[in-house]
Amino acid sequence: MKKITFLLLMAISLTGFAQQVVVQNFETPSSFGPLNAFGGLAASIQPDPVPGGTRINSLNIISSSTGQFFQGCEIVQLENKFKLTTDKTMSIDVYSTVAFTLLAKVEGGTGAPNSGASQNYTTPNQWQTLTFNFTQGLDNTGTANGSYGNLVLFPNWNPNNSGFINPPGDFSVFVDNITSEATPILPDPVPTTAAPTPPNRPVADVKSLFSDA
C-alpha cells in the first residue's frame, strides 16, 4: 500500500512541472504566419536538405553578401507562444554547409518585451541541436521572462557577441524543431454583452447611406 501511495504522489508531482515541447516544426502552415524576411535575406519552407532525410519540412533562410548587415527572418506564431519564464531555454535544430553563429531573438512578449541569445553552429553538413539561454540579453535586450509570439533569426551574428558581421556571407541555413515550454494563443473572447439598441429618432433626423429610406 505504501508503494502505491508513493507512486501516486510521484505521478501527481511530475504533472506539476511544465515540459518542453516542439512549439514549431513548420509542418502545419496554419501554426505560423507569413515569413517576414528582411535586409536582403530570403526565406521559404523547404524539404530536408539531407539526401534521404526523414524531416518533412523546415525553414530555409539564405543569407546574401549583398544584403544588409542586419538581415534576418521573423517567425510569427499563430497557435502557441514560446514560454520563457522559469525555463528560459529554447533548442533549435540547425543545418548548414558552413559553420556560423546564429542570434535568436524573441519578441512581442510579456515581462521583458524582447530577449536575445546566440549559439555557434559547428557541424557543417549535419543537423545540430543548438540550445539558447535567454538570460544573455544580447543586442540591447533583457532577460526573457514571459511568453513570446515572435522569433527572429539572424544568421550573421558575430561569434564574440560584439555585433553583426559586416558584410554578411552567402550561405543557406535550415531550421527545424523549435522547442521550449509553450503557451497556447487563445482566440479573443466572444462578447457577453450585446451592443446597445439605438434610440428611436424622428424620420426627419435620420439619413441613410445605403438606401433611399
Side-chain angles (χ1 to χ4, degrees):
M1 183 64 182
K2 290 183 178 180
K3 290 183 178 180
I4 296 175
T5 303
F6 175 75
L7 291 174
L8 287 174
L9 290 173
M10 285 293 294
I12 294 172
S13 63
L14 288 174
T15 58
F17 292 95
Q19 294 183 341
Q20 290 204 351
V21 296
V22 176
V23 183
Q24 185 55 259
N25 60 8
F26 305 102
E27 305 298 344
T28 307
S30 61
S31 67
F32 59 94
L35 300 172
N36 299 322
F38 54 88
L41 180 140
S44 62
I45 303 301
Q46 298 294 334
D48 194 331
V50 178
T54 58
R55 299 168 189 262
I56 301 174
N57 289 325
S58 57
L59 169 63
N60 180 210
I61 57 178
I62 302 175
S63 172
S64 172
S65 60
T66 60
Q68 302 295 323
F69 71 93
F70 56 82
Q71 60 187 286
C73 178
E74 179 186 39
I75 303 164
V76 179
Q77 290 291 106
L78 299 181
E79 291 184 354
N80 291 288
K81 292 183 177 182
F82 306 103
K83 182 182 178 183
L84 302 170
T85 50
T86 303
D87 186 348
K88 302 182 189 298
T89 63
M90 172 191 295
S91 65
I92 304 176
D93 291 351
V94 175
Y95 174 97
S96 182
T97 57
V98 299
F100 71 101
T101 300
L102 180 67
L103 174 72
K105 184 188 290 186
V106 287
E107 297 182 342
T110 55
N114 48 61
S115 182
S118 72
Q119 276 292 303
N120 297 323
Y121 172 81
T122 59
T123 59
N125 301 305
Q126 298 180 44
W127 283 101
Q128 179 182 347
T129 300
L130 305 182
T131 300
F132 297 81
N133 190 328
F134 287 92
T135 61
Q136 291 181 275
L138 299 180
D139 197 30
N140 298 315
T141 64
T143 296
N145 186 26
S147 296
Y148 298 85
N150 299 351
L151 174 65
V152 188
L153 302 176
F154 299 90
N156 288 290
W157 186 252
N158 195 304
N160 62 14
N161 290 323
S162 62
F164 292 103
I165 297 172
N166 192 10
D170 292 305
F171 61 98
S172 178
V173 176
F174 291 83
V175 172
D176 198 10
N177 293 340
I178 304 174
T179 303
S180 71
E181 291 184 10
T183 300
I185 299 176
L186 302 177
D188 293 333
V190 176
T192 57
T193 304
T197 302
N200 291 326
R201 303 284 186 184
V203 175
D205 293 339
V206 177
K207 294 184 182 296
S208 176
L209 299 178
F210 305 103
S211 73
D212 295 328

